[in-house]
Amino acid sequence: MNAVTPPPVAAQRPRLVALVGNPNAGKTSLFNALTGSRQKVGNYPGVTVERKAGRLALPSGETVELLDLPGTYSLTPRSPDEAVTRDVVLGTAAHERRPDLIVAVIDATNLRNHLRFVLELRRLGLPMVVALNMADLAERDGTRIDTSELSTILGMAVIPTVAVRRRGLAELGAAVAPLLGTGTTAHAAPPAADIRLLQREAGAIAKAVVVEGGGAKRWSQRLDALTLHPVAGPLLLAALLFLMFQGVFSLAEAPMELLASGVVWLQGLVTSVLPDGWLRSLLVDGVLGGVGAVVVFLPQILILFLFILILEQSGYMVRAAFLMDRLMARVGLNGRAFIPLISSFACAIPGIMATRTIDAPKDRLTTILIAPLMTCSARLPVYAIIIAAFIPATKVGGLFNLQGLVLFALYGFGVGGALLAAWVLRRTVTKGPTPTFLMEMPKYQWPAPRDIGIGLWQRAWAFLARAGTIILASTVALWALASWPNPPEGATRPALEYSIAGKIGAGLEPLFRPIGFNKEIALALVPGMAAREVAVSALGTVYSLQGTDADHAEPLVGALRAAWSLPTALAFLAWYVFAPQCISTLAVTRRETNGWKWPAFMFGYLFAMAYAGAGITYWAARWLLG
Amino acid sequence: MIKAADINTMQRGDIAVIVAVDRAQRDPAGAQRLHEMGFEEGVDIELLHRAPLGGDPLAVRVGNMTVALRKSLAALVEVAPDLPAA
């Protein structure tokens, strides 16, 4: 520790406190408990590592900025995520101040290995406080830790915390406050430590402070006997995934109908208040029709994220990665890729960003390239509307809904396509050494409702922000393209055919005619480039603008039933299993791969797959249906 | 045991002691990662599970941690049978 002179800038900016720790130390739970909903999630420029920060009021009255740094096992980074943690604590990060203090979050049930990292962090010379997290679990296991002895040996405050129960938070704040401003921000990086020496030292400390050693999490191991069982394990995984997709459809039904009727009510309100004209058409058809058609799917997206968050936070996701590793190895990937790919079921963007935890570059690139083949939630609106229009809701085997089964099959085609693509890519463009697989299996935990709630809130907000920006802009643009110019006097054809959009659709139609797509589909695919779900609102706009005013009230489902043949509908579904239709995904791929080469490649190969998939589906369906 | 053995020779439920993490210095980077995951000379290790279809990867308990790893990395870790409590 150096001189006690607070830096002069402290008056303007709140001091920075960083949470650092191994993955699974409960760092994010602690962060959520300390900051509640006062969080800001952003990105570090240049790298797409998420920056999570929040405000924390200390008992001393001072408010500090609390930073949740990516979890890492050491300061030797193996992935972009871990590099951010190292750069920030060393003070070499380009877009982050060096923290004034580090809170090392360690798992009381795994003292030895977590202490090793504390010793590595201590060498940095920053003021430090240890949060001995999951203190309750250690007690339950029969482990008693002498915290004052640990504090003496480490030379820093050690505060027992239980993040999920908000225990020890005030004490932690009280320990942090007096240390602020006692460090100096200019420190040379210490030479890399020999990990064996640190391990030995940590082992000796752990031995000295553990008064009573307890048995290791027995029930976690007992649960593993089921979840990792060679037969029962994969069956359980399949059942969980199936339950997830059935749940997405059945649980979301009621809130979706509520949202849909809300949109219709608003449209009615606008229609009754405004005189007939372009403004009314813009609000009713463009804004409410377009954005409304997408916002309706928020319940499904939230339910999907809810399942994923529960699987992640309970510790099951790593077990799934373990079970999937063999299959992933066959196509040249590793089990670690399973987690980004599962996240991609919600959205490819967080999925692609989650590949930062994959250390082998070729492995990571392949995972990025196949991530868009995982059926993201943006496809759900598209699938849902087509399934609702063309697949009867009959019971199959007295238990399953045919619509749910078709949805499950579409997800299956996506996964199959992804594995096939990975297999081909790893033998051609991303050829390289076989990566390995090494992961800690955290103990099982009940997911904390607060952590799930905050996670859901952040995702819902991100989705609504998208609906409010990209989707709103593109639906309004499409509405304009579809509304002008007006049809000439005495025109007999639908007004749309005379508009700019109609001309673009007509221009693209020859390209898509061989795979069974009509002009309206070709037209909807154009704004659908902005975001997949926009295609639904585009179809809504196209079909409610087409024909007479009376058609306005007719739901899209009915319009599609009247306009499309079954082979066309199936081809459209097949197109969406593979299609590279998301500008945001391409943009994030460009950022993650540092150039346009890979996003261009991604677009090309996905387009080819989508075209072939839709074509085969269309002709096979025509042949089968006579 | 006379001959040196690695984790791959263990059966489910076997408990052993880690003798060396980087056997014959074949893969220093891999060994460094194993150290970070709690592998350390003198620590006890138990083979918990093998994945379906070929038994790769493995799940082991190292000290108080459960770690999943592939056979290729497991081959780096030299183990000796745990002496029965006398």
Side-chain angles (χ1 to χ4, degrees), chain A residues 4 86 119 144 177 202 256 281 290 307 331 342 351 414 416 459 517 575 606:
Chain A
V4 191
R86 185 206 51 189
L119 293 175
R144 271 194 30 232
M256 284 175 71
S281 171
F307 273 97
V331 298
I342 281 283
R459 281 160 178 82
F517 287 7
W575 170 268
L606 289 176

Side-chain angles (χ1 to χ4, degrees), chain A residues 43-175:
Chain A
N43 264 308
Y44 285 108
V47 287
T48 41
V49 175
E50 205 172 63
R51 180 188 192 274
K52 275 172 113 176
R55 289 292 163 103
L56 171 65
L58 299 176
S60 61
E62 183 176 353
T63 297
V64 294
E65 185 173 22
L66 191 68
L67 194 61
D68 184 18
L69 286 175
T72 177
Y73 289 99
S74 77
L75 293 179
T76 311
R78 310 190 190 283
S79 60
D81 250 19
E82 298 177 1
V84 164
T85 300
R86 185 206 51 189
D87 291 347
V88 170
V89 297
L90 286 180
T92 55
H95 299 280
E96 191 74 82
R97 298 173 280 161
R98 194 174 194 211
D100 296 281
L101 183 139
I102 288 175
V103 175
V105 187
I106 66 174
D107 176 355
T109 66
N110 192 5
L111 204 53
R112 199 183 172 109
N113 206 46
H114 286 239
L115 275 179
R116 199 251 313 135
F117 189 38
V118 170
L119 293 175
E120 192 177 354
L121 289 169
R122 190 175 66 170
R123 294 158 52 88
L124 296 169
L126 288 170
M128 254 175 92
V129 171
V130 171
L132 188 64
N133 201 24
M134 308 199 205
D136 58 333
L137 293 183
E139 270 165 40
R140 196 192 57 196
D141 287 350
T143 306
R144 271 194 30 232
I145 297 165
D146 185 344
T147 47
S148 64
E149 177 69 10
L150 181 58
S151 168
T152 310
I153 296 175
L154 291 174
M156 58 185 77
V158 176
I159 313 296
T161 57
V162 183
V164 289
R165 303 205 199 307
R166 309 184 60 88
R167 263 163 52 188
L169 303 184
E171 292 87 341
L172 189 63

Side-chain angles (χ1 to χ4, degrees), chain A residues 199-455:
Chain A
Q199 266 185 326
R200 217 162 292 159
E201 196 183 344
I205 296 174
K207 214 170 184 175
V209 301
V210 174
V211 189
E212 267 174 66
K217 53 236 174 188
R218 295 262 170 256
W219 68 281
S220 236
Q221 287 193 12
R222 230 171 277 149
L223 207 47
D224 273 344
L226 171 70
T227 58
L228 302 182
H229 187 274
V231 181
L235 286 176
L236 181 70
L237 175 60
L240 280 174
L241 293 178
F242 190 78
L243 187 77
M244 178 163 105
F245 296 126
Q246 284 281 330
V248 162
F249 246 58
S250 53
L251 295 178
E253 213 169 304
M256 284 175 71
E257 272 169 24
L258 206 69
L259 277 173
S261 51
V263 171
V264 170
W265 179 81
L266 275 176
Q267 284 177 321
L269 186 75
V270 172
T271 309
S272 64
V273 169
L274 289 177
D276 197 6
W278 71 268
L279 183 62
R280 187 168 102 180
S281 171
L282 169 67
L283 288 177
V284 172
D285 300 320
V287 177
L288 287 172
V291 177
V294 175
V295 169
V296 160
F297 292 93
L298 186 61
Q300 284 189 342
I301 288 163
L302 288 183
I303 289 170
L304 189 66
F305 269 122
L306 178 69
F307 273 97
I308 288 176
L309 282 169
I310 290 174
L311 291 184
E312 249 173 21
Q313 297 191 3
S314 63
Y316 181 76
M317 208 61 119
V318 178
R319 273 75 183 181
F322 176 84
L323 292 173
M324 295 302 292
D325 182 62
R326 186 70 184 162
L327 184 62
M328 305 294 261
R330 288 217 181 127
V331 298
L333 294 172
N334 80 49
R336 208 173 258 268
F338 183 69
I339 296 168
L341 292 178
I342 281 283
S343 305
S344 300
F345 279 121
C347 176
I349 294 161
I352 286 171
M353 280 158 57
T355 63
R356 292 177 317 237
T357 60
I358 300 175
D359 38 14
K362 291 282 174 69
D363 196 14
R364 179 163 172 252
L365 178 60
T366 314
T367 311
I368 289 174
L369 289 174
I370 65 168
L373 285 169
M374 297 294 124
T375 301
C376 66
S377 52
R379 284 182 181 92
L380 270 180
V382 183
Y383 288 172
I385 201 95
I386 307 297
I387 287 174
F390 291 94
I391 309 293
T394 46
K395 288 265 176 214
V396 178
L399 191 60
F400 303 118
N401 186 328
L402 181 62
Q403 294 185 330
L405 285 176
V406 168
L407 184 70
F408 190 68
L410 289 170
Y411 277 78
F413 285 131
V415 173
L419 293 178
L420 179 72
W423 189 86
V424 173
L425 290 171
R426 286 294 284 170
R427 272 155 192 79
T428 51
V429 287
T430 59
K431 222 192 310 210
T434 325
T436 191
F437 175 65
L438 176 67
M439 269 186 113
E440 179 185 355
M441 291 185 159
K443 54 188 163 297
Y444 290 100
Q445 283 182 73
W446 287 112
R450 179 184 34 227
D451 296 337
I452 300 274
I454 288 175

